[in-house]
Amino acid sequence: MTLKDGARLDADVYRPAAPGSYPVLLQRQAYSRRIACSICYAHPAWYAAHGYIVVVQDVRGRGTSEGTFRPGETEIEDGAETVEWAARLDGANGDVGMYGFSYQAYNQLLAAAGDCPSLKALAPAMGPWNPAHWAYENGALQMKHMIGWGIQITAEAARRAGDDEAFSVLQAAGSNLPFNGPVAAMPQLLQKYRHYSHVMDWLETPVDSPYWHRISPVTHVDAIRARHLPMLFVGGWFDPFLPATVESFQALATSSEDIRLIVGPWIHFPWTRKVGSVDFGPEAQRNVDIDHIRFFDRVLKGSPREAEHRRIELFDMGLKTWRQYQDLPNTTQALLLGGTGRTSMDPQDGSLGLRQASDDHVEHIVHDPWRPAPTTGGYYGVPTGPVDRRMTDERGDVLTFTTQALETSIEIVGEPAVELDLSCDRPSFDLSCILSVVTSDDKVFQISSGYAHYRKARAGRYQLKLATTCATLKKGERLRLSIAGADYPAYPVNPGTGEDPVMTPKTHAVVTTIAVHHGPSRASLLRLPVGSASDIGSDRYRAGS
C-alpha cells in the first residue's frame, strides 16, 4: 500500500482456501513481516485456515517498507490508513482486528486512536502503554532493555542501508551488551552509529520530557475508550511489560463488555511451561492461539459466547494452575520489617510479621559501585524468570526480611507495595525490592519486583509499588522481601552524587550507605495483597527476635 505521504508499506496477505467474505486480522511488524511473531504465535497461515484474511505488514522503515523507523511517531496515522486499506482487500468483509505482541501490541493501541472505523477489535500482548515507563521505571533507565533493544533496532537499520561492517559489529554486541565504556548507559558503539536509529535520542531524553506524551497511547486514552473495542490482553509474570499490560487493561477495562486479561508464568518469549529454573507444569503450556481464535470468532464473526467466565485469568505460580477473577482483589495485609541490625550479614536476622518489635533498629545497605548488587532472574537476568537467588540474598549489600514458615497456605494476588523509613548519606540513591517465595528446601524464587531512582535523597518515608503477581504460598514455605541499592545491569548504577546515572561517567560514582529504619517509632512494612479467602493470622507471622 502507499500512504498519503507517499511512503510504500509492504505486506504479506494470507487467505482461506475457500472463496468467501472474511474478516481481516492485521499485524503491523517491526521485526520483519516474514517472522510474523511466530516465536510465540502460530504462523499466519494457521490463522487464515480458521477463516480469516491475515495481513502482516512491515511498518514504516522496517523490513522492505519505505521510510524511517521512529517508534510511535507515525503509528497513529500509518496504522489507521493500514486498517482501512486492509478492510478493502478482495474478499474482506470490512471488519478488521489487530493482534501481535511487544511493539506489535503498542502500535495496535496507537492505531485505535486514529481514524479507522473498520477497526473492530484488538489483541495486544506484552507491549508498552506509556513509553516513558517503557524506557524508565520510577525514574530509573531500564538500561539492559533499552540497550539490548536499541542494538537490535540499529543493526537492522544498518542492514537495510547495506552497511555490512556496522551490522556485524552490532550483531556481535547484541549477545554481549557493551556496558564497559566510560558511561555504561551510553555505549560508544551506539554513539558511533546513532544516525541509524532513534536509540541515542531516547537515551538523551529525560523521563519528564513532553516527547514521551507525543508517542503514548495514554495521551489518547479517552479516544480509545470512546471506541468501545473488545480487547484481549496477554501478559507474563516475568515480562518487562507486565506493569504496562496490567495498567493498559485497567485503563480500558470499562470501555467494553468484552475486555479480557490473561497473565501466564512467561517471559517475553517464548510462552512455555519451563521458565528460568522452574517447570510450571502442563497448564502453563497454554494454547494462546486458540484463545485468540475464540476471541476473534466471538467479536468479529458473532460466534456464541463460551460458558460464563470472569474477565481476568491469572496463572497461580504456587499452585501451578489458572485462577479466574472479575477484578483484582484489593485486600492487603501489612507485614512489618524486623531485625537486630544484622540483616545484611545474616538472612535469618531479618523478619516479616504482624507484630511490631519492641525496640527501634536500623539496617544498612552499603552500595559499592565497584561491585553493585547483580540482576538475578526476573525480567532481565540470565536466565530470565524465576531462579534460585540465594547467593544474591546472602551478599552483604542486600537486606532480607523473611516470614516464619507458614502454618497454612495463603493466596497472594495483586500489587504488593513497600513503605520504608529511609535515610542516606549521599545526595541520591536507588532502591531495588524483590519479593520471593522461600521453598521448604530453602530455594528462593522471585514472584514480584520494583525499582526506583531517587535523584534527591531525603530522610523520611518512601513508597514503592511492586509488579502485580499471583502465587499461593503453601504450608511450610516462607515469604521474603530483599532490598538492595542496585540491580545491575538491568539499571545503571546510581553514582550517589545527584548526577544523572544515564549520563555520568563511572569514575564519579561513590560508595553510598542507605539506612532502613524499623520499629515502633519508624515502622517499615510490606503491604501484601491477599485473596479474599486468605487470613493471615498473628500466629502465622511473628517478628523474629
Side-chain angles (χ1 to χ4, degrees):
M1 64 170 287
T2 301
L3 295 167
K4 293 176 182 177
D5 66 3
R8 188 198 74 240
L9 304 186
D10 297 338
D12 292 334
V13 180
Y14 302 80
R15 300 176 182 276
S21 179
Y22 299 98
V24 175
L25 298 184
L26 169 64
Q27 182 185 121
R28 304 194 63 244
Q29 258 289 340
Y31 303 100
S32 171
R33 66 184 189 272
R34 293 301 171 94
I35 295 175
C37 290
S38 58
I39 51 181
C40 48
Y41 292 84
H43 191 271
W46 182 89
Y47 280 85
H50 282 76
Y52 292 91
I53 295 173
V54 184
V55 178
V56 187
Q57 179 192 69
D58 288 326
V59 301
R60 183 189 295 258
R62 302 294 285 173
T64 61
S65 288
E66 294 179 343
T68 300
F69 179 63
R70 297 283 301 182
E73 293 185 11
T74 62
E75 298 295 12
I76 293 178
E77 296 81 6
D78 291 0
E81 286 189 53
T82 300
V83 166
E84 295 308 309
W85 170 82
R88 297 191 299 269
L89 289 171
D90 289 344
N93 69 2
D95 291 340
V96 178
M98 296 184 74
Y99 79 109
F101 91 118
S102 198
Y103 192 86
Q104 293 68 233
Y106 171 58
N107 64 33
Q108 289 179 57
L109 294 164
L110 287 173
D115 182 13
C116 48
S118 300
L119 182 62
K120 305 299 183 182
L122 301 181
M126 299 185 181
W129 173 240
N130 183 339
H133 299 165
W134 179 4
Y136 292 87
E137 180 180 349
N138 296 311
L141 178 73
Q142 301 195 68
M143 183 172 72
K144 188 174 182 182
H145 189 181
M146 284 294 102
I147 299 303
W149 183 61
I151 286 173
Q152 179 185 2
I153 293 296
T154 308
E156 169 61 8
R159 185 198 66 78
R160 282 169 52 93
D163 191 335
D164 295 340
E165 179 181 353
F167 177 81
S168 62
V169 172
L170 288 160
Q171 185 183 45
S175 57
N176 186 21
L177 298 182
F179 297 131
N180 55 356
V183 182
M186 293 283 181
Q188 294 170 321
L189 186 65
L190 286 176
Q191 295 184 52
K192 179 178 180 179
Y193 296 114
R194 70 175 300 156
H195 56 286
Y196 280 133
S197 77
H198 71 283
V199 180
M200 288 304 302
D201 292 341
W202 274 33
L203 294 174
E204 293 167 357
T205 301
V207 67
D208 56 356
S209 169
Y211 169 78
W212 303 112
H213 298 289
R214 295 200 294 272
I215 63 169
S216 175
V218 176
T219 304
H220 307 280
V221 65
D222 290 339
I224 299 172
R225 286 173 180 158
R227 303 195 62 164
H228 307 296
L229 295 172
M231 299 185 196
L232 172 63
F233 289 89
V234 177
W237 294 133
F238 302 99
D239 171 56
F241 293 119
L242 170 63
T245 301
V246 174
E247 184 180 349
S248 55
F249 165 77
Q250 291 177 325
L252 300 170
T254 60
S255 64
S256 168
E257 293 182 354
D258 201 332
I259 293 187
R260 295 185 58 205
L261 171 66
I262 298 170
V263 184
W266 307 311
I267 60 174
H268 198 47
F269 67 88
W271 303 342
T272 55
R273 60 183 279 176
K274 186 170 183 185
V275 186
S277 56
V278 176
D279 186 341
F280 284 107
E283 288 195 44
Q285 195 81 43
R286 182 170 179 138
N287 190 335
V288 180
D289 292 303
I290 287 295
D291 287 319
H292 279 71
I293 288 298
R294 288 172 177 167
F295 168 72
F296 285 124
D297 281 357
R298 185 170 67 250
V299 301
L300 296 181
K301 295 182 178 180
S303 296
R305 286 181 175 270
E306 308 162 20
E308 189 65 28
H309 62 266
R310 297 181 178 183
R311 61 181 182 170
I312 299 173
E313 287 189 79
L314 307 180
F315 190 87
D316 186 316
M317 291 181 280
L319 299 180
K320 298 183 179 179
T321 190
W322 292 93
R323 304 177 72 112
Q324 293 190 6
Y325 304 88
Q326 187 60 27
D327 296 290
L328 289 174
N330 56 12
T331 304
T332 61
Q333 174 68 63
L335 299 181
L336 297 159
L337 277 59
T340 68
R342 296 191 69 256
T343 63
S344 64
M345 293 291 100
D346 182 2
Q348 306 304 315
D349 185 74
S351 65
L352 275 178
L354 292 176
R355 297 179 182 175
Q356 183 65 267
S358 57
D359 299 320
D360 289 330
H361 287 281
V362 61
E363 315 294 337
H364 293 95
I365 301 169
V366 179
H367 160 63
D368 181 357
W370 178 261
R371 52 182 304 278
T375 302
T376 305
Y379 302 150
Y380 303 120
V382 180
T384 308
V387 300
D388 186 359
R389 54 173 287 120
R390 279 180 295 181
M391 289 184 63
T392 299
D393 279 357
E394 290 170 1
R395 288 171 56 106
D397 55 355
V398 179
L399 308 181
T400 57
F401 302 90
T402 312
T403 67
Q404 291 189 347
L406 296 176
E407 296 182 2
T408 60
S409 64
I410 61 165
E411 176 192 1
I412 301 172
V413 56
E415 187 179 69
V418 293
E419 296 180 17
L420 304 175
D421 195 309
L422 304 177
S423 58
C424 180
D425 67 344
R426 298 293 188 181
S428 66
F429 67 95
D430 281 13
L431 204 61
S432 168
C433 293
I434 308 291
L435 193 63
S436 304
V437 55
V438 183
T439 64
S440 55
D441 58 353
D442 289 328
K443 293 181 179 178
V444 184
F445 295 111
Q446 174 179 321
I447 59 172
S448 183
S449 66
Y451 195 92
H453 167 63
Y454 300 105
R455 187 70 58 87
K456 295 181 180 180
R458 54 170 180 74
R461 297 193 67 77
Y462 287 77
Q463 298 183 0
L464 178 60
K465 292 182 178 180
L466 311 189
T468 301
T469 188
C470 179
T472 295
L473 272 62
K474 298 182 283 292
K475 179 181 179 179
E477 294 182 330
R478 291 168 287 159
L479 184 69
R480 172 174 290 177
L481 175 66
S482 305
I483 306 175
D487 186 4
Y488 181 84
Y491 308 87
V493 171
N494 188 330
T497 59
E499 297 170 280
D500 185 353
V502 179
M503 306 285 187
T504 303
K506 297 173 182 176
T507 52
H508 292 203
V510 294
V511 175
T512 301
T513 301
I514 306 164
V516 179
H517 303 268
H518 56 82
S521 64
R522 304 183 70 174
S524 290
L525 55 92
L526 165 69
R527 293 201 181 277
L528 187 68
V530 294
S532 57
S534 294
D535 177 21
I536 304 178
S538 58
D539 290 337
R540 299 182 196 172
Y541 292 105
R542 289 195 295 250
S545 59

